[in-house]
Amino acid sequence: MFNRRQTLALMGAAAAAALPLAAQAAPEQLKTLRIGWQKNGVLALAKGNGALEKRFATRGIDIRWSEFSSGPPLLEALGAGAIDFGPTGDVPPLFAQAAGGNLVYAGTYRGPPDGSAILVHKDAPIRSIADLKGKRIAFKRGSSAHNFTVKALRTAGLTLADISASDLAPSDAAAAFTSGQVDAWAIWDPYLAVAEKRPEARVLASGKGIVESWSFFLANGGFAESDGDILADLLDELRLVGKSAQDNLDETVRNLARITGVPEDIQRVVLTREGADLGKVAAVSPEAIAYQQELADEFFKLGIVPKQLDVSRIVWRRKQA
């Protein structure tokens, strides 16, 4: 037999079920899609040609763009809910996950291995990676350059303990390198291609044969959960933008130069490196997850990442209707 409280609860539930669907609470429609971008790749092209604005216009969704110089600050904003989506290299997501950021891996893209390198001064006596022992090397902590530096040093039997690391964002690292405050600089394109043009710079080692060039698109966890259809459309549009750009490289060079302010000759270097393909936007594959997990385990053992991570736990999987 029901008591009075149970009877009232049942009556309330029945009344709610009887309400028309329109009267019940509905998910709030996304009005603005907030995207973080860097001065390279398909997101820069999509920003320049308005592809995403066109794709989502009929759904009443505006696009808001925020520029970042590297992955770590972009993912900090993403994990905190300040933006919904953005690109990064392989290491930043590890730090973001370890910090408890609310984010998920949503897609991947592959870049050319020699799109990352360690630069030294042209006339410096540094002729091999082994010669970096005791030297000052600039790279952004928590970026893909961090991973490249670790793996490059390992080829010569060295570790981060054998060098003096300077945690600098690309613009600050460029200034430090030019002024001679650091002996070497680990960096990625397009900053690398810009620096290679300078007479004082010399490539000591590129990423080719040292590190794989996995990069990722990540999304805020709340956005991915509530607006998975929009996220899927976003990735699809970026794939289309990338394929079209790859099929028309001369036009793409001009467009990226206009969008980013990086000269055409630099853009051409970036886009024609061996293995470069703007159309390689894809879902997060088992291969990509395995790569990230291996990297996470390595950085935990080295004491760089403070906790053991399960990468698969934050991989977005689209819900089937």
Side-chain angles (χ1 to χ4, degrees):
M1 186 172 180
F2 296 107
N3 61 31
R4 184 173 181 273
R5 178 176 297 176
Q6 291 171 322
T7 301
L8 289 174
L10 286 172
M11 289 174 62
L19 286 173
L21 290 177
Q24 297 186 33
E28 186 176 347
Q29 175 64 41
L30 185 72
K31 295 290 195 302
T32 303
L33 178 54
R34 303 163 302 168
I35 298 177
W37 72 294
Q38 300 182 54
K39 280 191 161 89
N40 56 37
V42 293
L43 265 178
L45 288 166
K47 181 179 185 298
N49 66 17
L52 299 181
E53 284 83 354
K54 295 170 190 171
R55 176 86 178 226
F56 293 108
T58 57
R59 301 169 76 166
I61 299 173
D62 294 325
I63 308 297
R64 182 187 303 161
W65 298 90
S66 298
E67 183 181 344
F68 294 85
S69 64
S70 62
L74 187 153
L75 291 193
E76 183 178 353
L78 187 75
I83 58 174
D84 301 308
F85 182 86
T88 179
D90 49 13
V91 174
L94 305 184
F95 282 82
Q97 184 180 2
N102 182 20
L103 73 175
V104 294
Y105 292 90
T108 65
Y109 60 104
R110 302 289 293 270
D114 58 355
S116 295
I118 295 177
L119 299 172
V120 295
H121 298 283
K122 183 178 180 180
D123 299 325
I126 303 172
R127 296 296 167 183
S128 69
I129 293 174
D131 294 334
L132 291 174
K133 186 173 183 178
K135 298 298 191 293
R136 297 161 297 176
I137 304 179
F139 59 86
K140 179 59 188 169
R141 184 177 184 275
S143 72
S144 60
H146 195 161
N147 180 32
F148 174 46
T149 302
V150 168
K151 287 182 166 56
L153 291 172
R154 183 179 298 155
T155 66
L158 302 177
T159 70
L160 291 177
D162 294 306
I163 63 154
S164 176
S166 295
D167 177 13
L168 297 173
S171 58
D172 296 327
F177 180 78
T178 301
S179 64
Q181 296 177 53
V182 296
D183 302 297
W185 177 23
I187 191 57
W188 59 88
D189 278 332
Y191 304 102
L192 169 60
V194 171
E196 282 182 295
K197 290 284 187 179
R198 296 175 179 168
E200 73 272 14
R202 170 168 53 89
V203 173
L204 178 69
S206 79
K208 191 173 184 178
I210 295 178
V211 67
E212 294 183 57
S213 188
W214 281 97
S215 293
F216 298 89
F217 293 109
L218 285 100
N220 175 265
F223 163 66
E225 175 66 24
S226 63
D227 295 288
D229 58 333
I230 293 174
L231 178 54
D233 282 355
L234 171 54
L235 290 166
D236 180 62
E237 188 62 36
L238 292 179
R239 180 184 59 80
L240 295 174
V241 169
K243 186 178 184 307
S244 175
Q246 193 64 35
D247 291 341
N248 301 277
L249 274 184
D250 287 341
E251 180 182 354
T252 300
V253 165
R254 291 191 295 270
N255 287 339
L256 272 177
R258 174 180 54 81
I259 295 161
T260 67
V262 177
E264 288 188 22
D265 60 332
I266 301 296
Q267 294 291 357
R268 190 170 296 279
V269 168
V270 172
L271 295 174
T272 56
R273 293 194 193 275
E274 183 181 354
D277 187 344
L278 291 166
K280 288 184 178 178
V281 177
V284 183
S285 65
E287 181 187 5
I289 296 172
Y291 170 85
Q292 279 297 94
Q293 188 62 57
E294 182 179 347
L295 183 58
D297 294 343
E298 177 185 19
F299 269 42
F300 174 66
K301 290 176 183 177
L302 292 173
I304 300 172
V305 172
K307 60 194 293 187
Q308 184 73 60
L309 301 174
D310 179 359
V311 170
S312 66
R313 190 177 64 81
I314 63 164
V315 174
W316 176 66
R317 294 173 177 84
R318 186 180 183 184
K319 295 178 181 178
Q320 299 300 316

